[in-house]
Amino acid sequence: MRMKKPLIFAHRGVSSQCPENTLAAFRRAIEVGAEGIELDVHRSKDGQLVVCHDETVDRTTDGKGVIQEMTVQDLSRLDAGGWFGPAYKEERIPLLEEVLELLEPTSLHLNIELKTDYYFYPGIEEDTYALILAHGMEDRVILSSFNHHTVVRFQRIAPKVRTGILYSCHLYEPHKYAISLGVGALHPPMHLAPPEIITIAHQAGLSVHGWFSRERFDETQARGYLDSGVDILITNYPQEYLALRDEK
Ligand code: G3P
Ligand code: MG
């Protein structure tokens, strides 16, 4: 039987070529032909949803501070791209709304990861859903989080939007757990998604969206992942994966 090949999502945008979670990285994802984008969301002091991986701006900007203690104006002064290369020093921490505006006229999917792992940002699920609705993206969003309370809360207010549980431990029978929560997808790192886990998930009616921790692109390994049966691959190297997947 010929296995269906996965859709390719750009992890934090094309983060192998551009500074992660910036509009430059998201525009690049559109240019290389990725089918979707993954990004990470926190909430600012003045209640705006902002796109950044860490709880602080220290690693990915020229500033220091905790996002939930900073206003959007504070955040807008920071250079979020210069650390990656001088060509990107005009990049700013984007608002989720700006990314939705960028994607709305395209056909790309968007995996919104709510980063409620340390700070719970009460009400972030409602705020996220309101933005999704305002941009008509209900059919193109997949909402995920390592905080499964967040996923369940989101699902209750937005039952038509696809959801998935992120995890990075060796969950026992993850398909049974996902079904008990009522979510539609598993989001494991690929080293925890061997073909047998994918097959069982599919038999249970779930999708599998795999990502990578400490990713390094290796062509032989990448071919294996493309043939693993996984539905979506969320990678820092979407251009390389697309080239392999679509080669004649
Ligand atoms: O959503 C997949 C992946 O982004 C989860 O881990 O730490 O890169 O946000 P992290
Ligand atoms: Mg993420």
Side-chain angles (χ1 to χ4, degrees), residues 28-70:
R28 187 75 191 126
I30 299 171
E31 281 164 17
V32 303
E35 279 96 17
I37 285 169
E38 186 267 358
L39 53 73
D40 308 292
V41 171
H42 290 271
R43 194 171 62 194
S44 67
K45 188 178 177 182
D46 48 349
Q48 298 297 304
L49 301 185
V50 299
V51 179
C52 189
H53 181 271
D54 302 353
E55 284 72 27
T56 73
V57 298
D58 302 8
R59 181 178 61 86
T60 55
T61 75
D62 60 347
K64 281 202 181 310
V66 178
I67 292 172
Q68 72 161 354
E69 295 168 3
M70 302 168 83

mmCIF file of all heavy atoms in Angstrom, residues 28-70:
data_model
loop_
_atom_site.group_PDB
_atom_site.id
_atom_site.type_symbol
_atom_site.label_atom_id
_atom_site.label_comp_id
_atom_site.label_asym_id
_atom_site.label_seq_id
_atom_site.Cartn_x
_atom_site.Cartn_y
_atom_site.Cartn_z
ATOM 1 N N ARG A 28 8.489 33.791 4.490
ATOM 2 C CA ARG A 28 9.361 32.808 3.823
ATOM 3 C C ARG A 28 8.628 31.467 3.686
ATOM 4 O O ARG A 28 8.790 30.774 2.667
ATOM 5 C CB ARG A 28 10.651 32.658 4.643
ATOM 6 C CG ARG A 28 11.705 31.807 4.012
ATOM 7 C CD ARG A 28 12.430 32.509 2.861
ATOM 8 N NE ARG A 28 13.253 31.547 2.142
ATOM 9 C CZ ARG A 28 13.185 31.329 0.823
ATOM 10 N NH1 ARG A 28 12.399 32.045 0.056
ATOM 11 N NH2 ARG A 28 13.959 30.422 0.265
ATOM 12 N N ALA A 29 7.830 31.115 4.675
ATOM 13 C CA ALA A 29 7.065 29.860 4.611
ATOM 14 C C ALA A 29 6.103 29.889 3.423
ATOM 15 O O ALA A 29 5.926 28.887 2.723
ATOM 16 C CB ALA A 29 6.296 29.647 5.911
ATOM 17 N N ILE A 30 5.489 31.045 3.197
ATOM 18 C CA ILE A 30 4.586 31.178 2.042
ATOM 19 C C ILE A 30 5.410 31.016 0.760
ATOM 20 O O ILE A 30 5.031 30.269 -0.147
ATOM 21 C CB ILE A 30 3.859 32.545 2.076
ATOM 22 C CG1 ILE A 30 3.008 32.675 3.347
ATOM 23 C CG2 ILE A 30 3.009 32.733 0.816
ATOM 24 C CD1 ILE A 30 2.424 34.068 3.587
ATOM 25 N N GLU A 31 6.582 31.688 0.709
ATOM 26 C CA GLU A 31 7.428 31.642 -0.494
ATOM 27 C C GLU A 31 7.897 30.225 -0.832
ATOM 28 O O GLU A 31 7.940 29.849 -2.000
ATOM 29 C CB GLU A 31 8.689 32.486 -0.286
ATOM 30 C CG GLU A 31 8.482 33.984 -0.451
ATOM 31 C CD GLU A 31 9.658 34.771 0.136
ATOM 32 O OE1 GLU A 31 10.748 34.195 0.361
ATOM 33 O OE2 GLU A 31 9.451 35.964 0.399
ATOM 34 N N VAL A 32 8.275 29.454 0.186
ATOM 35 C CA VAL A 32 8.819 28.114 -0.130
ATOM 36 C C VAL A 32 7.713 27.101 -0.417
ATOM 37 O O VAL A 32 7.988 25.970 -0.791
ATOM 38 C CB VAL A 32 9.779 27.573 0.974
ATOM 39 C CG1 VAL A 32 10.928 28.541 1.218
ATOM 40 C CG2 VAL A 32 9.042 27.221 2.259
ATOM 41 N N GLY A 33 6.461 27.501 -0.193
ATOM 42 C CA GLY A 33 5.348 26.612 -0.532
ATOM 43 C C GLY A 33 4.929 25.667 0.581
ATOM 44 O O GLY A 33 4.293 24.632 0.314
ATOM 45 N N ALA A 34 5.246 26.041 1.828
ATOM 46 C CA ALA A 34 4.786 25.211 2.952
ATOM 47 C C ALA A 34 3.259 25.209 2.990
ATOM 48 O O ALA A 34 2.627 26.196 2.595
ATOM 49 C CB ALA A 34 5.342 25.758 4.269
ATOM 50 N N GLU A 35 2.703 24.101 3.481
ATOM 51 C CA GLU A 35 1.238 24.037 3.574
ATOM 52 C C GLU A 35 0.726 24.684 4.851
ATOM 53 O O GLU A 35 -0.473 24.938 4.984
ATOM 54 C CB GLU A 35 0.764 22.579 3.519
ATOM 55 C CG GLU A 35 0.681 22.013 2.116
ATOM 56 C CD GLU A 35 1.919 21.228 1.707
ATOM 57 O OE1 GLU A 35 2.694 20.844 2.602
ATOM 58 O OE2 GLU A 35 2.111 21.020 0.484
ATOM 59 N N GLY A 36 1.637 24.951 5.793
ATOM 60 C CA GLY A 36 1.198 25.567 7.046
ATOM 61 C C GLY A 36 2.360 26.124 7.834
ATOM 62 O O GLY A 36 3.536 25.948 7.470
ATOM 63 N N ILE A 37 1.987 26.814 8.909
ATOM 64 C CA ILE A 37 2.961 27.445 9.800
ATOM 65 C C ILE A 37 2.612 27.048 11.231
ATOM 66 O O ILE A 37 1.429 26.977 11.578
ATOM 67 C CB ILE A 37 2.864 28.986 9.644
ATOM 68 C CG1 ILE A 37 3.507 29.433 8.334
ATOM 69 C CG2 ILE A 37 3.463 29.721 10.838
ATOM 70 C CD1 ILE A 37 3.205 30.878 7.991
ATOM 71 N N GLU A 38 3.632 26.837 12.033
ATOM 72 C CA GLU A 38 3.427 26.671 13.481
ATOM 73 C C GLU A 38 4.030 27.888 14.159
ATOM 74 O O GLU A 38 5.084 28.387 13.728
ATOM 75 C CB GLU A 38 4.137 25.399 13.958
ATOM 76 C CG GLU A 38 3.878 25.033 15.409
ATOM 77 C CD GLU A 38 4.896 25.571 16.422
ATOM 78 O OE1 GLU A 38 5.886 26.237 16.025
ATOM 79 O OE2 GLU A 38 4.711 25.326 17.615
ATOM 80 N N LEU A 39 3.349 28.391 15.199
ATOM 81 C CA LEU A 39 3.897 29.497 15.990
ATOM 82 C C LEU A 39 3.467 29.363 17.439
ATOM 83 O O LEU A 39 2.589 28.561 17.768
ATOM 84 C CB LEU A 39 3.460 30.853 15.392
ATOM 85 C CG LEU A 39 1.972 31.102 15.148
ATOM 86 C CD1 LEU A 39 1.204 31.337 16.434
ATOM 87 C CD2 LEU A 39 1.800 32.311 14.235
ATOM 88 N N ASP A 40 4.116 30.167 18.307
ATOM 89 C CA ASP A 40 3.915 30.082 19.757
ATOM 90 C C ASP A 40 3.336 31.394 20.266
ATOM 91 O O ASP A 40 3.774 32.472 19.835
ATOM 92 C CB ASP A 40 5.262 29.826 20.439
ATOM 93 C CG ASP A 40 5.976 28.635 19.833
ATOM 94 O OD1 ASP A 40 5.490 27.509 20.002
ATOM 95 O OD2 ASP A 40 7.012 28.838 19.150
ATOM 96 N N VAL A 41 2.386 31.304 21.187
ATOM 97 C CA VAL A 41 1.673 32.512 21.626
ATOM 98 C C VAL A 41 1.730 32.709 23.145
ATOM 99 O O VAL A 41 1.481 31.775 23.917
ATOM 100 C CB VAL A 41 0.197 32.447 21.162
ATOM 101 C CG1 VAL A 41 -0.635 33.563 21.783
ATOM 102 C CG2 VAL A 41 0.120 32.538 19.638
ATOM 103 N N HIS A 42 2.060 33.946 23.544
ATOM 104 C CA HIS A 42 1.984 34.398 24.945
ATOM 105 C C HIS A 42 1.076 35.616 24.999
ATOM 106 O O HIS A 42 0.621 36.108 23.962
ATOM 107 C CB HIS A 42 3.383 34.786 25.441
ATOM 108 C CG HIS A 42 4.297 33.622 25.603
ATOM 109 N ND1 HIS A 42 4.393 32.899 26.771
ATOM 110 C CD2 HIS A 42 5.156 33.044 24.729
ATOM 111 C CE1 HIS A 42 5.285 31.927 26.610
ATOM 112 N NE2 HIS A 42 5.761 31.997 25.373
ATOM 113 N N ARG A 43 0.849 36.153 26.218
ATOM 114 C CA ARG A 43 0.011 37.351 26.338
ATOM 115 C C ARG A 43 0.779 38.461 27.048
ATOM 116 O O ARG A 43 1.439 38.226 28.071
ATOM 117 C CB ARG A 43 -1.275 37.029 27.105
ATOM 118 C CG ARG A 43 -2.327 38.126 26.956
ATOM 119 C CD ARG A 43 -3.668 37.719 27.524
ATOM 120 N NE ARG A 43 -3.542 37.476 28.942
ATOM 121 C CZ ARG A 43 -4.462 36.849 29.669
ATOM 122 N NH1 ARG A 43 -5.563 36.388 29.117
ATOM 123 N NH2 ARG A 43 -4.272 36.667 30.955
ATOM 124 N N SER A 44 0.656 39.670 26.487
ATOM 125 C CA SER A 44 1.371 40.826 27.046
ATOM 126 C C SER A 44 0.628 41.377 28.273
ATOM 127 O O SER A 44 -0.517 40.992 28.546
ATOM 128 C CB SER A 44 1.487 41.921 25.984
ATOM 129 O OG SER A 44 0.199 42.433 25.698
ATOM 130 N N LYS A 45 1.281 42.317 28.957
ATOM 131 C CA LYS A 45 0.696 42.944 30.153
ATOM 132 C C LYS A 45 -0.641 43.614 29.833
ATOM 133 O O LYS A 45 -1.565 43.611 30.649
ATOM 134 C CB LYS A 45 1.691 43.996 30.671
ATOM 135 C CG LYS A 45 1.343 44.598 31.992
ATOM 136 C CD LYS A 45 2.449 45.572 32.393
ATOM 137 C CE LYS A 45 2.125 46.277 33.681
ATOM 138 N NZ LYS A 45 3.175 47.251 34.023
ATOM 139 N N ASP A 46 -0.734 44.189 28.623
ATOM 140 C CA ASP A 46 -1.979 44.841 28.233
ATOM 141 C C ASP A 46 -2.905 43.917 27.435
ATOM 142 O O ASP A 46 -3.793 44.362 26.702
ATOM 143 C CB ASP A 46 -1.715 46.155 27.481
ATOM 144 C CG ASP A 46 -0.677 46.028 26.373
ATOM 145 O OD1 ASP A 46 0.013 44.984 26.305
ATOM 146 O OD2 ASP A 46 -0.558 46.950 25.561
ATOM 147 N N GLY A 47 -2.720 42.601 27.612
ATOM 148 C CA GLY A 47 -3.712 41.640 27.141
ATOM 149 C C GLY A 47 -3.680 41.295 25.665
ATOM 150 O O GLY A 47 -4.617 40.688 25.158
ATOM 151 N N GLN A 48 -2.582 41.648 24.970
ATOM 152 C CA GLN A 48 -2.501 41.310 23.533
ATOM 153 C C GLN A 48 -1.828 39.941 23.363
ATOM 154 O O GLN A 48 -0.932 39.579 24.140
ATOM 155 C CB GLN A 48 -1.687 42.361 22.787
ATOM 156 C CG GLN A 48 -2.274 43.751 22.835
ATOM 157 C CD GLN A 48 -3.634 43.823 22.163
ATOM 158 O OE1 GLN A 48 -3.773 43.461 20.998
ATOM 159 N NE2 GLN A 48 -4.637 44.263 22.910
ATOM 160 N N LEU A 49 -2.242 39.220 22.323
ATOM 161 C CA LEU A 49 -1.632 37.922 22.041
ATOM 162 C C LEU A 49 -0.426 38.147 21.143
ATOM 163 O O LEU A 49 -0.557 38.727 20.053
ATOM 164 C CB LEU A 49 -2.641 36.992 21.367
ATOM 165 C CG LEU A 49 -3.899 36.735 22.208
ATOM 166 C CD1 LEU A 49 -4.793 35.714 21.542
ATOM 167 C CD2 LEU A 49 -3.524 36.273 23.615
ATOM 168 N N VAL A 50 0.735 37.725 21.619
ATOM 169 C CA VAL A 50 1.975 37.997 20.898
ATOM 170 C C VAL A 50 2.695 36.693 20.577
ATOM 171 O O VAL A 50 2.572 35.699 21.302
ATOM 172 C CB VAL A 50 2.908 38.950 21.682
ATOM 173 C CG1 VAL A 50 2.240 40.290 21.903
ATOM 174 C CG2 VAL A 50 3.359 38.361 22.997
ATOM 175 N N VAL A 51 3.461 36.725 19.488
ATOM 176 C CA VAL A 51 4.077 35.504 18.965
ATOM 177 C C VAL A 51 5.549 35.456 19.382
ATOM 178 O O VAL A 51 6.373 36.248 18.915
ATOM 179 C CB VAL A 51 3.941 35.466 17.424
ATOM 180 C CG1 VAL A 51 4.590 34.214 16.862
ATOM 181 C CG2 VAL A 51 2.470 35.534 17.024
ATOM 182 N N CYS A 52 5.836 34.535 20.272
ATOM 183 C CA CYS A 52 7.200 34.371 20.771
ATOM 184 C C CYS A 52 7.271 32.991 21.405
ATOM 185 O O CYS A 52 6.266 32.496 21.923
ATOM 186 C CB CYS A 52 7.481 35.459 21.817
ATOM 187 S SG CYS A 52 9.216 35.541 22.341
ATOM 188 N N HIS A 53 8.431 32.365 21.364
ATOM 189 C CA HIS A 53 8.516 31.019 21.936
ATOM 190 C C HIS A 53 8.641 31.030 23.457
ATOM 191 O O HIS A 53 7.932 30.317 24.162
ATOM 192 C CB HIS A 53 9.698 30.245 21.336
ATOM 193 C CG HIS A 53 9.801 28.854 21.871
ATOM 194 N ND1 HIS A 53 10.532 28.550 23.009
ATOM 195 C CD2 HIS A 53 9.236 27.689 21.471
ATOM 196 C CE1 HIS A 53 10.414 27.263 23.260
ATOM 197 N NE2 HIS A 53 9.634 26.710 22.343
ATOM 198 N N ASP A 54 9.573 31.834 23.973
ATOM 199 C CA ASP A 54 9.865 31.783 25.410
ATOM 200 C C ASP A 54 8.940 32.711 26.198
ATOM 201 O O ASP A 54 8.330 33.613 25.625
ATOM 202 C CB ASP A 54 11.317 32.222 25.668
ATOM 203 C CG ASP A 54 12.340 31.367 24.919
ATOM 204 O OD1 ASP A 54 11.955 30.352 24.304
ATOM 205 O OD2 ASP A 54 13.531 31.727 24.939
ATOM 206 N N GLU A 55 8.929 32.530 27.512
ATOM 207 C CA GLU A 55 8.171 33.433 28.389
ATOM 208 C C GLU A 55 8.839 34.805 28.456
ATOM 209 O O GLU A 55 8.208 35.800 28.791
ATOM 210 C CB GLU A 55 8.089 32.864 29.820
ATOM 211 C CG GLU A 55 7.110 31.726 30.002
ATOM 212 C CD GLU A 55 7.565 30.422 29.370
ATOM 213 O OE1 GLU A 55 8.790 30.195 29.234
ATOM 214 O OE2 GLU A 55 6.691 29.620 28.989
ATOM 215 N N THR A 56 10.134 34.843 28.173
ATOM 216 C CA THR A 56 10.874 36.105 28.200
ATOM 217 C C THR A 56 11.345 36.443 26.784
ATOM 218 O O THR A 56 11.385 35.578 25.898
ATOM 219 C CB THR A 56 12.122 36.023 29.110
ATOM 220 O OG1 THR A 56 13.119 35.230 28.462
ATOM 221 C CG2 THR A 56 11.790 35.423 30.477
ATOM 222 N N VAL A 57 11.753 37.710 26.632
ATOM 223 C CA VAL A 57 12.260 38.148 25.314
ATOM 224 C C VAL A 57 13.781 38.005 25.229
ATOM 225 O O VAL A 57 14.384 38.351 24.210
ATOM 226 C CB VAL A 57 11.860 39.622 25.039
ATOM 227 C CG1 VAL A 57 10.347 39.762 25.003
ATOM 228 C CG2 VAL A 57 12.468 40.580 26.078
ATOM 229 N N ASP A 58 14.393 37.480 26.275
ATOM 230 C CA ASP A 58 15.859 37.529 26.405
ATOM 231 C C ASP A 58 16.607 36.814 25.268
ATOM 232 O O ASP A 58 17.616 37.304 24.779
ATOM 233 C CB ASP A 58 16.298 36.904 27.735
ATOM 234 C CG ASP A 58 15.671 37.580 28.946
ATOM 235 O OD1 ASP A 58 14.778 38.437 28.757
ATOM 236 O OD2 ASP A 58 16.039 37.253 30.082
ATOM 237 N N ARG A 59 16.141 35.648 24.875
ATOM 238 C CA ARG A 59 16.886 34.849 23.893
ATOM 239 C C ARG A 59 16.716 35.366 22.463
ATOM 240 O O ARG A 59 17.653 35.290 21.676
ATOM 241 C CB ARG A 59 16.435 33.374 23.972
ATOM 242 C CG ARG A 59 17.159 32.437 23.020
ATOM 243 C CD ARG A 59 16.710 30.986 23.192
ATOM 244 N NE ARG A 59 15.297 30.805 22.935
ATOM 245 C CZ ARG A 59 14.762 30.586 21.734
ATOM 246 N NH1 ARG A 59 15.544 30.495 20.662
ATOM 247 N NH2 ARG A 59 13.453 30.443 21.599
ATOM 248 N N THR A 60 15.545 35.880 22.138
ATOM 249 C CA THR A 60 15.252 36.166 20.723
ATOM 250 C C THR A 60 15.125 37.662 20.391
ATOM 251 O O THR A 60 14.685 37.996 19.281
ATOM 252 C CB THR A 60 13.951 35.452 20.289
ATOM 253 O OG1 THR A 60 12.908 35.830 21.183
ATOM 254 C CG2 THR A 60 14.113 33.954 20.291
ATOM 255 N N THR A 61 15.487 38.527 21.344
ATOM 256 C CA THR A 61 15.495 39.964 21.021
ATOM 257 C C THR A 61 16.728 40.616 21.656
ATOM 258 O O THR A 61 17.489 39.964 22.386
ATOM 259 C CB THR A 61 14.241 40.705 21.558
ATOM 260 O OG1 THR A 61 14.376 40.874 22.967
ATOM 261 C CG2 THR A 61 12.954 39.971 21.247
ATOM 262 N N ASP A 62 16.847 41.928 21.423
ATOM 263 C CA ASP A 62 17.965 42.664 22.037
ATOM 264 C C ASP A 62 17.573 43.214 23.419
ATOM 265 O O ASP A 62 18.302 44.008 23.997
ATOM 266 C CB ASP A 62 18.424 43.802 21.119
ATOM 267 C CG ASP A 62 17.319 44.818 20.841
ATOM 268 O OD1 ASP A 62 16.137 44.520 21.149
ATOM 269 O OD2 ASP A 62 17.634 45.897 20.321
ATOM 270 N N GLY A 63 16.415 42.801 23.922
ATOM 271 C CA GLY A 63 15.974 43.290 25.235
ATOM 272 C C GLY A 63 15.934 42.192 26.272
ATOM 273 O O GLY A 63 16.359 41.060 26.013
ATOM 274 N N LYS A 64 15.418 42.565 27.438
ATOM 275 C CA LYS A 64 15.268 41.602 28.526
ATOM 276 C C LYS A 64 13.912 41.837 29.168
ATOM 277 O O LYS A 64 13.453 42.982 29.244
ATOM 278 C CB LYS A 64 16.350 41.833 29.591
ATOM 279 C CG LYS A 64 17.697 41.255 29.220
ATOM 280 C CD LYS A 64 18.541 41.026 30.475
ATOM 281 C CE LYS A 64 19.917 40.470 30.150
ATOM 282 N NZ LYS A 64 19.913 39.318 29.262
ATOM 283 N N GLY A 65 13.290 40.778 29.639
ATOM 284 C CA GLY A 65 12.037 40.965 30.354
ATOM 285 C C GLY A 65 11.067 39.822 30.122
ATOM 286 O O GLY A 65 11.240 39.012 29.208
ATOM 287 N N VAL A 66 10.070 39.791 30.999
ATOM 288 C CA VAL A 66 9.030 38.765 30.934
ATOM 289 C C VAL A 66 7.864 39.342 30.127
ATOM 290 O O VAL A 66 7.390 40.444 30.419
ATOM 291 C CB VAL A 66 8.570 38.392 32.369
ATOM 292 C CG1 VAL A 66 7.447 37.358 32.326
ATOM 293 C CG2 VAL A 66 9.755 37.889 33.191
ATOM 294 N N ILE A 67 7.408 38.614 29.131
ATOM 295 C CA ILE A 67 6.375 39.143 28.222
ATOM 296 C C ILE A 67 5.137 39.602 28.980
ATOM 297 O O ILE A 67 4.598 40.668 28.698
ATOM 298 C CB ILE A 67 6.019 38.098 27.147
ATOM 299 C CG1 ILE A 67 7.224 37.897 26.212
ATOM 300 C CG2 ILE A 67 4.784 38.512 26.342
ATOM 301 C CD1 ILE A 67 7.086 36.762 25.229
ATOM 302 N N GLN A 68 4.692 38.823 29.966
ATOM 303 C CA GLN A 68 3.443 39.209 30.636
ATOM 304 C C GLN A 68 3.617 40.433 31.541
ATOM 305 O O GLN A 68 2.631 40.941 32.072
ATOM 306 C CB GLN A 68 2.840 38.036 31.383
ATOM 307 C CG GLN A 68 3.541 37.617 32.627
ATOM 308 C CD GLN A 68 2.612 36.783 33.526
ATOM 309 O OE1 GLN A 68 1.430 36.628 33.261
ATOM 310 N NE2 GLN A 68 3.164 36.247 34.597
ATOM 311 N N GLU A 69 4.864 40.906 31.692
ATOM 312 C CA GLU A 69 5.093 42.151 32.452
ATOM 313 C C GLU A 69 5.400 43.322 31.523
ATOM 314 O O GLU A 69 5.758 44.409 31.962
ATOM 315 C CB GLU A 69 6.263 41.946 33.428
ATOM 316 C CG GLU A 69 5.950 40.911 34.499
ATOM 317 C CD GLU A 69 7.175 40.481 35.295
ATOM 318 O OE1 GLU A 69 8.275 41.030 35.068
ATOM 319 O OE2 GLU A 69 7.015 39.568 36.115
ATOM 320 N N MET A 70 5.273 43.107 30.208
ATOM 321 C CA MET A 70 5.602 44.153 29.219
ATOM 322 C C MET A 70 4.374 44.461 28.368
ATOM 323 O O MET A 70 3.599 43.549 28.035
ATOM 324 C CB MET A 70 6.750 43.666 28.314
ATOM 325 C CG MET A 70 7.995 43.298 29.102
ATOM 326 S SD MET A 70 9.217 42.419 28.098
ATOM 327 C CE MET A 70 10.036 43.791 27.323
#
